[in-house]
Amino acid sequence: MNAPHPPKVAGIDSTLPTPAHTVAPAPPVPGTGPAPDTASVPAPGAPAPGALLQDRLAGWVSDLTTLHELTERLSRTNALDPALHELLRAAAALVGARRGLVVLEPADGLGPRTTLGLGLGRADLGHIETVPRGALPYDTGSGTAEVVHSDLFAEDGLDPRHREVAARLGYAASYALPLATESAGRLGAAVWLFDEPAEPDERQRHLAGLYTRHATEHLARLLEVERTRACIATITEELLPSRLPRVAGVQLAARHRAGARGGGDWYDALPLPDAALGLSVGSVTGSGPSAVAAMGRLRASLRAYAVMEGEDPVAVLSDLELLLRLTEPARSATALFAYCEPALRKITLAGAGHSPPLLIGERRTEFAETSVSAPLGMLACWEAPSVEIEAEAGETVLFYTDGLLHRGGDPMDRAFARLHAGAASVPRAVRHDPGAVADHVLRAVLPDGPNDAGNEEDVVLLAARFD
């Protein structure tokens, strides 16, 4: 009967070297030979053959279980930085190191390029980067082999600067592995530092190599996602206003936080005849490049309608709704357009399925009363009455998209309550600055900060403070 073969776990080859803790067979005693009838009987004190096999299998299972747990934990990371930190931490445990660093330098030159440390501060990483490139304890060039320095201070031919940095940072040995596979290409390298002269044994190297190869494939996928996000974010920023206009009697500020997949939220501010100002915020359904493109088309069209019919916000949104139904029949959108007369501090606005603006002042913090209507593209013909708002001197009117409410994951009533509380808590000392007001609201409303990784909701704020 054949011995059972350990299964593959999480795509990792189960053919591993003999575990380091496996008991070695007892050597034969010189001058004695096995008796014919006792060949299968172990010598006194020697482990039985079955025990040796069980110990070896136990070692394999233990290693495969460890690798499975580590790769599962790595697979749960959804951004480059946490994945690189997890790689450093897990592989450090496999090789028995306390500190290390990972250098991300994709061979295609498209970036991003970064260096992260484990147990090393920014200053420490800066010292290591002063070592000449060819003498670094890792190789991010064309090499594909591990780099081992078992005793830096006893090694002949070591670059003096490398020895000086090692002494300054207190490490005496290093072990580096390339982050490279045939399918992912070369992404960089990872190095672990030992406080005393040492090097991983054969089994530790094997396990670290298996884990690092799996990590490289995962990093390659995250790298592609990161590049796609950066590309969409760049396109989105190019489609939004590069700067806000200067109009007498009002100060403007805007904040935009792109979601993980790139959404279709927009804001705009457009000077109009008679010293008026058109303000708009909106959101197109969906995400990704197609939503961003649709957002750009709608925003550009809304600017044209605002110039022609800006004094009548209902007519502006009606024209936009007709355009949406004709050119984007599979989409809907929410929008809010406001015709502002800064000299009178008067705002006439209409909304289509959009959340009401927030008035923030010394004596009040309240949502504006707006009519309830469906989003654009949801009905055969959209129309809703407009409303007028009169702001007091020094008040800020805050327009926003629904991403500000959805990112927290709360029910809508709680989300509105959180937004109201955040606006009411704006310090008196910064209420003269609409940008500071918007920043405070972002910090108060978003639970993990304005740039929480992995969130798919876009967030737009447009603040207008009236003198």
Side-chain angles (χ1 to χ4, degrees), residues 6 113 144 229 239 243 265 288 311 349 355 389 396 402 415 448 457:
R113 297 163 62 97
T144 58
R229 288 176 181 172
L239 290 174
R243 60 182 179 179
D265 288 17
E311 294 185 14
L349 62 87
S355 299
I389 301 172
T396 297
D402 289 345
D448 300 318
E457 293 284 349

Side-chain angles (χ1 to χ4, degrees), residues 25 39-43 46-56:
S40 60
V41 179
L52 292 174
L53 179 60
Q54 289 180 358
D55 186 55
R56 181 171 298 179

Side-chain angles (χ1 to χ4, degrees), residues 410-437:
D410 292 331
M412 290 304 290
D413 57 342
R414 292 185 182 180
F416 276 113
R418 182 196 291 269
L419 174 57
H420 185 275
S425 66
V426 175
R428 188 182 302 270
V430 301
R431 292 198 175 194
H432 67 281
D433 181 357
V437 171

Side-chain angles (χ1 to χ4, degrees), residues 271-297:
L272 296 174
D274 301 324
L277 177 69
L279 301 176
S280 71
V281 291
S283 177
V284 177
T285 56
S287 60
S290 62
V292 173
M295 175 271 288
R297 291 191 290 269

Side-chain angles (χ1 to χ4, degrees), residues 12 20 88 97 278 344 383 388 400 426 441 450:
I12 299 174
L88 274 177
L344 304 176
E383 186 167 334
E388 289 188 359
Y400 53 92
V426 175
V441 171

Side-chain angles (χ1 to χ4, degrees), residues 4 19 34 52 73 83 102 109 119 125 128 135 249 257 269 282 292 315 334 340 343 394 459:
L52 292 174
R73 189 155 49 196
V102 59
L125 297 175
I128 293 176
R257 302 291 182 260
V292 173
T334 66
C340 304
V459 173

Side-chain angles (χ1 to χ4, degrees), residues 13-26:
D13 188 358
S14 59
T15 308
L16 302 176
T18 303
H21 58 270
T22 300
V23 180

